[in-house]
């Protein structure tokens, strides 16, 4: 993606080795841009064809696969400046190629590391799990090999970016979830634990509801749900009742007269 290559006219049915009388068309159109002299500028990752036409007839078609360009720059997503020990913080990162174009990348497309595993570590889900007070630098390295090029993806060798976060001691005392205990289906309830800079790991049972890392709860089905927050070795639970939404029906009908 982004590379410019010189195409060989003989591949496209020109015995003389020139482009005279040949017209080239990429399919799909976003496969890339064709310039004068048979130069092709690859577009975003895609598979397609370059078709050569002479005097209205197709004389050749060449299959083209455009792969993702390697990352040239990586930036770790915004992290809180300070969290308490035991917090779990979702990680994110962004990558650009050498032309400054954003690359499609998820948390799995980066290899994550920390400079002090005593303070924090990164779990298999891409969360920063803090353990003890201190400062820790988190580094995201873009995996250098696209998955379609091999069975394994390289964990090193790509561009990287870092961010530093401070971990402070958690205050003494128990854990308490604060937030609504009654919501309607589809409504969003904000839950918290009342500890500044505390980012617990959230769980909700049974199925039919979800809770986001920042504590936003929403249920798609009526029921009673148990929300659990885990911060280090402390846990707290909170029940939320979700009754069915009242359905208003217009009973006025057009009967026969």
């Amino acid at each position: 993606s982004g590379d410019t290559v010189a195409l060989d006219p003989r591949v496209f049915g020109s015995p003389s080795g020139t482009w005279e009388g040949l017209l080239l068309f990429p399919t799909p159109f976003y496969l890339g841009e064709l310039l004068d002299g048979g130069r092709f500028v690859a577009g975003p990752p895609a598979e397609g064809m370059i078709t050569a036409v002479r005097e209205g007839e197709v004389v050749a078609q060449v299959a083209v696969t455009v792969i993702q360009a390697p990352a040239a720059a990586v930036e770790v997503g915004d992290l809180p400046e300070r969290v308490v020990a035991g917090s779990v913080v979702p990680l994110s990162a962004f990558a650009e190629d050498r032309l400054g174009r954003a690359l499609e990348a998820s948390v799995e497309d980066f290899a994550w590391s920390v400079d002090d595993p005593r303070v924090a570590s990164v779990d298999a889900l891409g969360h920063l799990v803090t353990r003890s007070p201190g400062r820790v630098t988190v580094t995201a390295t873009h995996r250098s090999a696209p998955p379609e090029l091999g069975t394994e993806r390289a964990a090193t060798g790509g561009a990287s970016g870092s961010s530093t976060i401070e971990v402070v001691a958690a205050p003494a005392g128990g854990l308490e979830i604060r937030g609504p205990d009654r919501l309607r289906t589809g409504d969003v309830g904000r839950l918290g634990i009342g500890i500044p800079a505390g980012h617990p790991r959230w769980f909700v049972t049974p199925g039919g509801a979800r809770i986001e890392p920042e504590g936003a709860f929403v249920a798609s089905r009526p029921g009673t749900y148990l929300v659990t927050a885990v911060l280090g070795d402390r846990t707290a639970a909170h029940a939320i009742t979700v009754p069915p939404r009242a359905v208003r029906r217009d009973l006025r009908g057009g009967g026969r007269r």
Side-chain angles (χ1 to χ4, degrees):
S1 179
D3 287 346
T4 300
V5 296
L7 304 178
D8 186 346
R10 290 170 295 186
V11 175
F12 292 89
S14 175
S16 64
T18 68
W19 293 105
E20 185 176 356
L22 280 177
L23 296 175
L24 300 181
F25 301 94
T27 306
F29 70 92
Y30 54 79
L31 185 67
E33 182 180 4
L34 288 160
L35 307 178
D36 292 340
R39 291 175 298 150
F40 174 73
V41 182
E47 294 184 356
M49 290 276 188
I50 296 179
T51 301
V53 177
R54 177 186 286 116
E55 296 180 353
E57 294 187 5
V58 174
V59 295
Q61 283 188 315
V62 176
V64 175
T65 299
V66 180
I67 64 173
Q68 182 67 68
V74 169
E75 179 181 352
V76 175
D78 290 340
L79 293 175
E81 294 182 2
R82 181 181 294 105
V83 298
V84 301
S87 291
V88 177
V89 181
L91 295 172
S92 63
F94 310 93
E96 293 182 347
D97 65 16
R98 56 185 173 81
L99 300 179
R101 299 176 303 183
L103 303 181
E104 292 187 10
S106 64
V107 66
E108 293 84 6
D109 294 311
F110 299 90
W112 295 91
S113 61
V114 296
D115 66 342
D116 192 344
R118 297 171 300 178
V119 177
S121 61
V122 179
D123 68 12
L125 299 178
H127 295 152
L128 181 69
V129 181
T130 60
R131 304 184 184 283
S132 59
R135 293 181 65 83
V136 64
T137 297
V138 184
T139 299
T141 302
H142 191 266
R143 299 182 186 272
S144 58
E148 62 269 22
L149 296 184
T151 57
E152 295 183 359
R153 302 191 64 186
T156 59
S160 63
S162 300
S163 183
T164 300
I165 188 170
E166 182 181 1
V167 181
V168 298
L175 201 62
E176 178 185 1
I177 297 177
R178 300 176 181 178
D181 55 14
R182 190 177 180 87
L183 291 167
R184 295 182 301 174
T185 54
D187 287 349
V188 178
R190 304 289 177 179
L191 303 179
I193 56 174
I195 298 177
H199 298 260
R201 194 188 293 271
W202 295 97
F203 301 92
V204 59
T205 56
R210 72 177 191 273
I211 186 164
E212 301 297 333
E214 70 277 9
F217 170 93
V218 62
S220 58
R221 297 198 299 263
T224 299
Y225 296 92
L226 184 67
V227 178
T228 303
V230 179
L231 185 71
D233 59 357
R234 291 181 287 181
T235 63
H238 181 76
I240 298 179
T241 300
V242 180
R245 278 186 176 271
V247 178
R248 300 181 64 180
R249 296 177 179 174
D250 188 353
L251 299 180
R252 293 174 298 176
R256 293 184 179 180
R257 294 184 179 181

